[in-house]
């Protein structure tokens, strides 16, 4: 029989996970987990609802950066003015997830730990150099977001570990991020390609730092170092955009499915990388 517990401390949540006799699953917003339970795709023995842990939901500023609690829904992320100003790419990625109803529940932690290759917030988080605080039996450890997902539906978290929060670093001057995805329909669809870009410029508009991350074109989101290298040391001219486009296309290892062929996804990845970088660059230039 499926058991449910809603602990009120991180330590009790870890104890519940560790003590589970079969499969235990963390419940954040439930927008993936409940669908999987009803369809029979997930058959846990225990559900550990973390939403009753004080402080697990909400956004707060810290050391010039931000802490986003693991159970913070997309709607709350979208309403946070400071976060929208500093990290527009993360906010637009989080707010692309589902509909208004889904936004009232869906979290970044659930989006990451569900480990879909097409998860919208993941490329934006990795582009931002976001880290997550992982709670477990030996206390807490902080790891880069890109170390969590190891393949479709798989994470590096131990069975008695869960994500408690995300940390976003302080923004340097003249830096900004952006996230774009391509979907066959205009709403409520799964990304064919998602791109997160984060750039920092010098006073002359030359890019001094960049992160380019592709989603939905490989088993996990991919940080494309070559694509970032195409931007660094240059203004965003046609040469840089062409090099970015080519590097993004080379990094793709997509599947063929009803949403797009391998050739199509690869081509779209280059186009979307150009567009996302252009938005990030324009935003950074205005700061
Ligand atoms: C109608 C609909 C539309 C959707 N549209 C999109 C979309 O456009 N883009 C997109 O990316 N996704 C979409 N989704 C999928 C889903 O809404 C997102 O992945 C969402 O962010 C999941 O968050 P959650 O809090 O609801 O996760 P949950 O369902 O609570 O959890 C998902 C998984 O992550 C695990 N988990 C949750 N929190 C933690 C934690 N803190 N630590 C460790 N493990 C954890 C759970 O055990 C579970 O395995 C959609 C879903 C629906 C139903």
């Amino acid at each position: 029989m499926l058991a449910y517990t809603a602990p009120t401390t991180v330590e009790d949540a870890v104890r519940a996970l560790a003590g589970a006799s079969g499969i235990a699953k963390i419940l954040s917003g439930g927008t993936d987990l409940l669908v999987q339970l009803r369809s029979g795709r997930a058959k846990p023995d225990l559900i550990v609802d973390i939403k009753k842990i004080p402080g697990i939901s909400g956004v707060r500023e810290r050391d010039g950066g931000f802490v986003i609690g693991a159970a913070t829904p997309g709607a709350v992320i979208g309403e946070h003015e400071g976060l929208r100003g500093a990290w527009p790419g993360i906010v637009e990625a989080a707010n692309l997830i589902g509909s208004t109803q889904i936004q009232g529940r869906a979290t970044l932690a659930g989006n990451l730990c569900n480990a879909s290759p097409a998860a919208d917030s993941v490329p934006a988080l990795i582009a931002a150099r976001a880290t997550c605080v992982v709670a477990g039996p030996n206390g807490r450890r902080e790891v880069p977001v890109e170390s969590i997902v190891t393949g479709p539906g798989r994470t590096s978290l131990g069975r008695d570990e869960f994500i408690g929060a995300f940390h976003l670093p302080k923004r340097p001057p003249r830096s900004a991020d952006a996230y774009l995805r391509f979907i066959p329909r205009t709403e409520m669809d799964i990304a064919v390609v998602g791109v997160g870009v984060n750039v920092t410029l010098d006073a002359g508009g030359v890019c001094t730092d960049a992160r380019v991350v592709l989603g939905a074109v490989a088993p996990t989101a991919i940080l494309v170092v070559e694509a970032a290298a195409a931007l660094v040391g240059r203004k965003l001219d046609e040469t840089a955009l062409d090099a970015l486009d080519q590097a993004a296309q080379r990094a793709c290892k997509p599947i063929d499915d009803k949403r797009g062929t391998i050739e199509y996804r690869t081509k779209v990845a280059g186009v979307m990388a150009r567009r996302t970088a252009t938005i990030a660059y324009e935003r950074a230039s205005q700061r």
Side-chain angles (χ1 to χ4, degrees):
M1 207 180 66
L2 177 59
Y4 169 91
T5 183
T8 53
T9 67
V10 168
E11 292 71 25
D12 282 350
V14 170
R15 265 192 289 276
L17 291 172
S21 53
I23 297 170
K25 282 272 182 193
I26 292 284
L27 175 69
S28 287
T31 63
D32 277 316
L33 187 57
L34 291 190
V35 176
Q36 290 161 10
L37 282 179
R38 296 213 170 128
S39 69
R41 242 180 80 204
K43 291 184 178 146
D45 302 282
L46 173 68
I47 286 185
V48 181
D49 185 349
I50 55 172
K51 289 190 291 297
K52 297 256 163 50
I53 299 172
I56 199 92
S57 181
V59 181
R60 60 179 199 280
E61 299 196 37
R62 202 190 65 181
D63 303 332
F66 292 87
V67 180
I68 305 176
T72 311
V76 171
I77 289 172
E79 282 164 7
H80 196 283
E81 211 175 309
L83 193 60
R84 279 205 316 265
W87 293 99
I90 287 185
V91 175
E92 63 202 356
N95 287 170
L96 275 173
I97 297 173
S99 56
T100 303
Q101 292 91 332
I102 296 291
Q103 284 291 308
R105 287 272 157 181
T107 66
L108 298 178
N111 198 224
L112 177 64
C113 296
N114 189 56
S116 159
D120 278 306
S121 69
V122 177
L125 286 168
I126 296 174
R129 292 192 176 85
T131 56
C132 30
V133 180
V134 176
N138 302 319
R140 291 167 209 212
R141 61 192 175 95
E142 192 166 342
V143 296
V145 166
E146 55 266 40
S147 72
I148 297 294
V149 179
T150 54
R154 292 202 317 270
T155 73
S156 60
L157 297 174
R159 67 185 301 274
D160 45 9
E161 290 186 318
F162 71 99
I163 293 177
F166 292 89
H167 288 171
L168 295 177
K170 186 178 174 184
R171 264 231 172 273
R174 289 183 297 279
S175 74
D177 63 337
Y179 176 79
L180 284 181
R181 72 173 181 187
F182 179 78
I183 54 174
R185 304 193 303 180
T186 51
E187 290 281 344
M188 301 279 286
D189 207 341
I190 297 169
V192 165
V193 176
V195 186
V197 176
N198 187 29
V199 292
T200 303
L201 313 179
D202 70 13
V206 173
C207 181
T208 56
D209 181 51
R211 301 258 287 183
V212 178
V213 184
L214 301 177
V217 288
T220 65
I222 35 178
L223 176 64
V224 188
V225 177
E226 259 189 51
L231 301 177
V232 174
R234 290 172 166 158
K235 292 189 174 180
L236 199 67
D237 53 20
E238 272 308 305
T239 312
L241 284 171
D242 283 347
L244 168 71
D245 182 334
Q246 291 305 312
Q249 292 199 48
R250 276 196 300 276
C252 291
K253 295 177 185 66
I255 55 166
D256 250 325
D257 74 359
K258 63 183 175 192
R259 289 194 175 74
T261 60
I262 290 173
E263 293 75 15
Y264 179 72
R265 284 174 187 261
T266 304
K267 172 97 177 140
V268 172
V271 174
M272 297 304 278
R274 281 174 176 266
R275 291 183 188 171
T276 317
T278 304
I279 296 169
Y281 188 94
E282 278 168 4
R283 285 176 178 163
S285 319
Q286 285 156 17
R287 289 176 181 222

